[in-house]
Amino acid sequence: MRDGAVSYEACEAAKSVARGPWTVDYVRLLGRAGEEALPELRKYARSRTDLIRAEAVYGLVRADAEQGEAIARKIVHDRSEPVEARIAALRGLADRGSIVARVEALRQLNAEEAPLQLEAIEILARAPSESDVRYLIDVVGQADGRVQSDAVALLQKITGYRIGADARSWRYFFVKHESEGTA
């Protein structure tokens, strides 16, 4: 039952036992129930519990054919939203195959929150592109820890170079290839 749709009737049957820590799982099921669950998901999207809110946001973004993308973009850019909800909105955009998912991921590389940056790098890694290189070099120069390591790994995957966490070297080779017109 980890993948695929779930009937809304099954979710309603589970609602009576969805208390405390199991509420998150219940909301996750609602997210897989489709458009019938949208009113219930909207209610949980206002929850004060960050994980419940994040699951509801992800479900809304994925299930709402008309407003899902707009909901995601609003939440991703709202710094007052918990980081979990912002990550869920960004992941929802990518999982629904939105054409703006890549753009939003590139924007979130400059986020202050490391988990949001990691999600953005993961989304970019799904379909690496040479056009991402300049943005990833900036991440290598500004970030540290896992964010920097993941950015370096993606740069290495895209370019084939094994430079490491030295942004100056990455910039040198980027400018060199750009001026020579080589890939």
Side-chain angles (χ1 to χ4, degrees), residues 1-167:
M1 298 229 4
R2 293 186 65 154
D3 295 324
V6 174
S7 72
Y8 184 66
E9 292 77 28
C11 293
E12 284 184 319
K15 186 175 184 175
S16 64
V17 294
R19 302 276 186 261
W22 294 286
T23 307
V24 175
D25 295 323
Y26 170 69
V27 175
R28 187 174 300 129
L29 281 176
L30 282 173
R32 293 177 30 213
E35 290 193 16
E36 284 183 276
L38 289 177
E40 194 81 2
L41 285 169
R42 284 187 183 97
K43 180 182 89 172
Y44 283 109
R46 294 186 301 268
S47 173
R48 291 183 183 178
T49 305
D50 293 346
L51 292 177
I52 292 172
R53 186 180 189 119
E55 287 295 341
V57 165
Y58 180 79
L60 279 172
V61 171
R62 291 286 315 267
D64 194 337
E66 292 178 19
Q67 296 178 350
E69 197 167 295
I71 292 168
R73 293 180 79 188
K74 178 183 176 281
I75 291 174
V76 165
H77 293 286
D78 187 353
R79 295 191 186 276
S80 67
E81 289 284 345
V83 71
E84 293 86 354
R86 294 173 66 200
I87 290 169
L90 187 60
R91 184 176 297 159
L93 272 177
D95 289 351
R96 72 181 273 152
S98 172
I99 59 172
V100 298
R102 179 172 217 79
V103 174
E104 292 300 334
L106 288 170
R107 285 182 179 156
Q108 297 311 311
L109 288 176
N110 295 322
E112 296 173 7
E113 301 90 352
L116 194 54
Q117 290 175 306
L118 289 170
E119 184 66 32
I121 292 170
E122 184 178 313
I123 289 169
L124 295 174
R126 293 179 184 184
S129 170
E130 287 183 15
S131 63
D132 301 338
V133 169
R134 83 173 62 243
Y135 305 104
L136 292 166
I137 291 172
D138 290 341
V139 172
V140 171
Q142 297 168 358
D144 56 1
R146 182 165 170 216
V147 173
Q148 186 182 55
S149 299
D150 286 3
V152 167
L154 185 52
L155 277 169
Q156 291 174 346
K157 182 178 179 181
I158 294 169
T159 65
Y161 283 117
R162 300 286 177 236
I163 294 175
D166 183 8

